Amino acid sequence: MRSRIVQIVRWSTPQPQRGDTVCSAHGRETCARDLVADVYLRDAGSPRVHWTVCQQWLDHEPDVAAYEAGAEDLGQVPD
């Protein structure tokens, strides 16, 4: 099922992974990086899926660049 990004909320201060708060894209086993943003996705099965992600995911996920380019076109640059 293909998801699409509907919102990215970047945090002002990165936070370490702890407890149940882990990198949604990589999981704690493969990612020890600080978390930097909340990402909201939409897919055919759910209207709003929440992910918490690291900077590496934001930097390397092609859908992030596409989302931000589209937000700029609409005058809605994410914070």
Side-chain angles (χ1 to χ4, degrees):
M1 189 175 319
R2 181 87 173 130
S3 298
R4 68 180 177 89
I5 296 171
V6 295
Q7 183 180 21
I8 297 174
V9 179
R10 295 177 186 265
W11 304 349
S12 59
T13 305
Q15 299 293 317
Q17 297 186 50
R18 59 179 168 256
D20 290 338
T21 306
V22 300
C23 181
S24 298
H26 301 120
R28 188 184 308 275
E29 291 179 12
T30 60
C31 182
R33 294 175 286 277
D34 286 347
L35 302 170
V36 299
D38 290 305
V39 176
Y40 296 92
L41 310 162
R42 179 170 293 146
D43 63 31
S46 300
R48 193 163 174 92
V49 177
H50 172 240
W51 276 25
T52 305
V53 298
C54 65
Q55 188 64 50
Q56 180 174 343
W57 186 84
L58 286 177
D59 291 344
H60 294 93
E61 173 55 48
D63 290 344
V64 171
Y67 167 80
E68 290 181 337
E72 288 175 4
D73 291 344
L74 298 172
Q76 300 174 358
V77 179
D79 293 332

